[in-house]
Amino acid sequence: MAGGERVALAHDYATQRGGAERVALVMAQAFPDAPLYTTLYHPRGTFPEFGPLDVRTSPLDRVGLLRRHHRLALPLLAPAVRATPIEADVVLASSTGWAHGFPTSGRKVVYCHAPARWLYQTDRYLGPAGGAQRWLAARALGLLAPGLRRWDRRAAGTADRYLANSTVTARAIRETYGIEAEILPPPPAMLPAGEETAPDGVEPGFLLCVARLLPYKNVDVVVEAVRRMPGTRLVVVGDGPERASLAQRVRDLPRVRLVGRVDDARLRWLYRHCAALVAASYEDYGLSPLEAAAFGRPSVVLRDGGYLDTVRDGVTGELFDAPDPDLVAEAAGRALDRTWDPRVLTAHADEFAAGRFVARLHAIAREELAHAAGTRPRLETVPTERRPR
């Protein structure tokens, strides 16, 4: 294609440190010559590995406030995506709600982490009712959601192929868009090989929770579970809107440490020296248990969603039935009382190795490039709904 790329990558926004961003980086490693298109890029807010990449941003990226606080950009992201056409034979889009809408002159493959939670799981995404901030967010989404749902479904319809990260995501894609998606689980990105640095004041033997601090992650439930477990310590890695309320909650609980964002060397140390990972969140893919397993550590997780694909009850971890502190404490107690075989855990993580993921992406790209070679290039556009008044 004259003036275009063979393969290009797309991602919603590179402004935070989460599982979707780690998968986008694996995709970038798989296609090192491909540019990465995104709406917003905040180098200090996301993983440093984005730095060497050819990151190409939307016009919205000129607004510094939005780079630092991408949630404020929600009414503007659909127009920003529409204003960022990608000239390429094949686009691989890593999407949780926006990147699948980038217009392209070639074939489009969407790797879906989940259909947009704020559109289809609004109550779960916002958390329990109460408080002015939650009310304002719910009000804003109530005004914007109808138009964004229409845009979102049309954007999904511009894809030539859909990939899902888990069984539950494939089911959500089918129910939301009427599209059958191939399940391609991503690999654990945080692996034992690499530098390790002990965080100040943390001794081995703690429970570990790695999560962005959002309502649906239910980190407060994990904290309250530890409150019911005398002598048990908890380290929480992550940042987000719930940080202040969690800090208030643990003021009288010195056994809980909120360490915020940490670099990879400290995260490796935390995985290696924890007693178990604990997660009570509603996840479409359970990435952190695979990372814990790679270090030979078990997980205590909610019996829901993507965790059902990545944790084997009684083999690589303990499951609990609801995000309830008593149930979490009971399951964590079982995990701490057991002796786990690290070889079983690391072998489980190896089943999700990066080589398998990358090989399948390469095969899909070859298939789509072959198809693109036999079709006339076009530039698809996804109309943007006007913001309701």
Side-chain angles (χ1 to χ4, degrees):
M1 175 186 303
E5 306 284 349
R6 289 280 284 166
V7 176
L9 305 175
H11 185 61
D12 298 327
Y13 29 70
T15 60
Q16 56 190 351
R17 294 177 175 231
E21 285 70 41
R22 287 202 181 275
V23 174
L25 288 172
V26 174
M27 295 170 69
Q29 292 166 6
F31 298 92
D33 297 325
L36 175 69
Y37 289 80
T38 191
T39 57
L40 298 162
Y41 175 40
H42 181 39
R44 293 180 61 186
T46 191
F47 296 110
E49 287 82 1
F50 281 99
L53 303 182
D54 179 7
V55 178
R56 304 181 186 181
T57 56
S58 74
L60 206 61
D61 194 61
R62 301 179 189 134
V63 183
L65 176 65
L66 299 182
R67 290 197 302 270
R68 295 188 298 274
H69 304 283
H70 68 264
R71 291 178 183 85
L72 297 177
L74 189 143
L76 308 172
L77 287 170
V81 166
R82 183 168 180 253
T84 312
I86 302 176
E87 292 282 347
D89 290 327
V90 175
V91 173
L92 297 175
S94 159
S95 182
T96 60
W98 304 107
H100 64 321
F102 279 109
T104 177
S105 55
R107 305 281 291 177
K108 186 189 296 183
V109 179
V110 176
Y111 187 86
C112 184
H113 305 278
R117 292 188 184 95
W118 53 91
L119 293 179
Y120 305 110
Q121 302 178 38
T122 304
D123 289 341
R124 181 177 288 184
Y125 181 78
L126 293 176
Q133 186 175 1
R134 204 273 190 194
W135 183 87
L136 287 171
R139 179 67 174 167
L141 279 174
L143 293 172
L144 294 169
L148 283 176
R149 286 194 191 100
R150 290 191 291 272
W151 177 89
D152 178 67
R153 291 187 173 114
R154 281 200 291 271
T158 66
D160 296 288
R161 187 186 295 214
Y162 249 80
L163 307 174
N165 60 358
S166 70
T167 304
V168 70
T169 298
R171 183 168 61 246
I173 292 168
R174 184 184 310 115
E175 293 172 351
T176 304
Y177 305 131
I179 294 172
E180 293 295 329
E182 174 186 339
I183 299 172
L184 180 59
M190 174 53 56
L191 295 172
E195 180 183 354
E196 294 185 15
T197 303
D200 293 339
V202 178
E203 296 294 329
F206 49 88
L207 296 176
L208 177 64
C209 180
V210 180
R212 282 174 291 169
L213 305 185
L214 296 167
Y216 75 93
K217 298 290 186 177
N218 294 323
V219 177
D220 57 332
V221 173
V222 177
V223 168
E224 292 308 311
V226 169
R227 189 185 296 277
R228 291 157 167 75
M229 303 173 68
T232 302
R233 292 172 292 123
L234 172 68
V235 174
V236 177
V237 173
D239 205 351
E242 298 292 294
R243 177 70 182 267
S245 64
L246 283 171
Q248 181 70 23
R249 184 182 292 270
V250 303
R251 285 182 63 183
D252 64 336
L253 197 60
R255 294 184 286 116
V256 175
R257 291 279 305 276
L258 306 180
V259 298
R261 294 173 179 164
V262 299
D263 59 23
D264 284 356
R266 286 173 174 78
L267 186 54
R268 283 193 190 93
W269 188 95
L270 290 166
Y271 271 128
R272 188 177 301 282
H273 292 90
C274 72
L277 178 86
V278 183
S281 52
Y282 293 103
E283 294 292 347
D284 299 284
Y285 184 66
L287 184 63
S288 57
L290 290 180
E291 295 181 342
F295 286 83
R297 296 294 179 264
S299 296
V300 180
V301 300
L302 180 65
R303 194 189 305 274
D304 186 87
Y307 293 132
L308 299 178
D309 285 356
T310 60
V311 179
R312 296 176 184 168
D313 196 10
V315 178
T316 68
E318 297 284 347
L319 275 62
F320 51 90
D321 292 326
D324 174 270
D326 291 328
L327 296 178
V328 176
E330 181 182 348
R334 293 197 305 268
L336 294 176
D337 288 342
R338 283 191 54 177
T339 299
W340 300 89
D341 186 345
R343 295 170 297 179
V344 172
L345 292 160
T346 55
H348 174 68
D350 288 343
E351 295 175 11
F352 297 80
R356 170 204 47 79
F357 178 76
V358 169
R360 184 58 187 148
L361 285 183
H362 281 166
I364 289 169
R366 287 194 299 270
E367 293 169 10
E368 296 301 324
L369 285 168
H371 196 288
T375 59
R376 184 178 179 180
R378 84 279 192 205
L379 188 65
E380 297 168 340
T381 59
V382 180
T384 303
E385 294 290 331
R386 293 183 179 274
R387 181 177 179 181
R389 295 183 180 276

